[in-house]
Amino acid sequence: MKEGNFTLEIRSFNKYNKMGGRTIVYRNAELLLPPKKKGVQRLKDPTPFKNPNHFKNRTRNIKLEDGEIKTIHIIFIIRFNGVLVQF
C-alpha cells in the first residue's frame, strides 16, 4: 500500500427506496483533494471546477485501485484502516 492510501469499509444505502445494508470494502483507496486554485479546468471537461460542498454534504471523493472515482458519505463509514469508527 502506498503512503496516503487507506482501506475503507462502508455500508451501502439507496436514498430513493430507503434500502441498504450491504457492506463494501475499498482497499488501497486514495483521498482526492480539490485543486488549490479556483476556476481550474479538468482535463477532459471544459467546465471549470465547481465546489462540491463536501463538508456540508458529508461526502468525500476517493480514487480506487482501478482508477475509478467514488463519492462516499462519511456517515456510512464502518471501519477506517481496520479501526471501528464510532459516532
Side-chain angles (χ1 to χ4, degrees), residues 27-60:
R27 288 182 172 71
N28 292 327
E30 178 183 351
L31 181 65
L32 293 179
L33 300 173
K36 301 285 185 215
K37 297 179 183 177
K38 290 185 177 186
V40 172
Q41 291 190 348
R42 297 178 207 151
L43 295 176
K44 294 183 180 179
D45 191 2
T47 59
F49 179 80
K50 294 192 292 186
N51 182 6
N53 292 321
H54 285 305
F55 185 77
K56 177 183 169 191
N57 297 326
R58 296 184 182 144
T59 58
R60 301 296 182 268

